[in-house]
Amino acid sequence: MKRLMLVVSTTVVLAGCAAGGMFGPAPKDGELAQPSDYKSWPVFLAGIEKPTGHVRDIYINPTGASAKKGDVFPNGTVSVMEIYKATKTGDKMTKASLEKVFVMYKGKDWGSTAPEGMKTGDWVYAAFEPNGQPAKVDYATCRGCHIPLADKDYIFHYDKYFDTRKSAQMLNGQTGKVAMSVDEVHLAAVLTK
């Protein structure tokens, strides 16, 4: 019984530290690790074509996928954006090599570590090379792009995500479903155009 209590106590303390709550300081941009299992998460949006010659796929963890349109994403949300170099053939872009992985993490008061004038709620950011090693980026640039999105919890494509998710749910007849495959996201995006 004492061993069980020790394991439970250790788990609670470690969870508190990871959450940046009363057990530890809030993390700063670039301090958190890349999630290893994000490809198993629900797809936020896929195949986002950029005029810079890139395609982006975005994943969201199950905590974030539990949010409803009009809500902010709950603490514990993690969003991962893969940026691929792409080639253009006609009007279609095709993904080539992975260039970078950007991650947004949300935790209670985590945004408090951001410089004044660069706060984006409770979000902190990290960037990684294709091999998973931390990338050297200017996080002020990340924050600067997200600052104007305060009414969407600082998340790009907020409305499109919820509209696409709703379309995919209707296609499947599963109104409670929040996880989608890349194929379902693509089909739903075509239907919502």
Side-chain angles (χ1 to χ4, degrees):
M1 183 66 170
K2 286 182 182 180
R3 180 177 165 92
L4 176 62
M5 291 303 293
L6 177 62
V7 169
V8 170
S9 298
T10 302
T11 303
V12 169
V13 168
L14 290 175
C17 290
M22 61 187 226
F23 298 109
K28 295 178 181 165
D29 292 335
E31 289 185 347
L32 295 173
Q34 178 178 315
S36 60
D37 61 343
Y38 71 86
K39 291 241 189 208
S40 68
W41 296 352
V43 176
F44 185 86
L45 288 173
I48 303 166
E49 296 182 5
K50 304 302 280 184
T52 57
H54 293 91
V55 172
R56 297 176 179 187
D57 290 342
I58 305 172
Y59 299 84
I60 191 163
N61 70 347
T63 301
S66 71
K68 294 181 175 41
K69 189 170 185 175
D71 292 346
V72 297
F73 288 94
N75 288 334
T77 295
V78 182
S79 173
V80 177
M81 178 176 65
E82 295 178 324
I83 299 178
Y84 290 88
K85 186 74 177 154
T87 57
K88 189 165 187 163
T89 308
D91 62 346
K92 176 91 173 117
M93 294 185 82
T94 304
K95 284 194 285 189
S97 60
L98 179 64
E99 287 197 336
K100 290 261 190 291
V101 176
F102 288 89
V103 186
M104 290 177 66
Y105 311 82
K106 189 174 188 183
K108 183 171 175 24
D109 299 325
W110 282 10
S112 64
T113 62
E116 282 307 314
M118 300 303 291
K119 296 187 185 306
T120 54
D122 287 333
W123 294 99
V124 294
Y125 302 83
F128 301 92
E129 298 296 341
N131 65 4
Q133 292 300 309
K136 293 183 183 190
V137 299
D138 178 7
Y139 290 110
T141 302
C142 299
R143 290 182 168 283
C145 287
H146 287 266
I147 284 173
L149 304 169
D151 64 332
K152 303 296 181 194
D153 197 19
Y154 303 97
I155 296 289
F156 278 95
H157 309 292
Y158 179 97
D159 290 324
K160 186 174 183 177
Y161 165 64
F162 285 104
D163 294 345
T164 301
R165 187 171 88 177
K166 182 177 179 182
S167 296
Q169 290 167 349
M170 290 187 308
L171 284 172
N172 289 328
Q174 299 177 15
T175 56
K177 183 178 179 185
V178 295
M180 296 185 291
S181 69
V182 171
D183 292 336
E184 289 172 318
V185 171
H186 283 295
L187 181 56
V190 167
L191 294 174
T192 58
K193 280 186 178 178

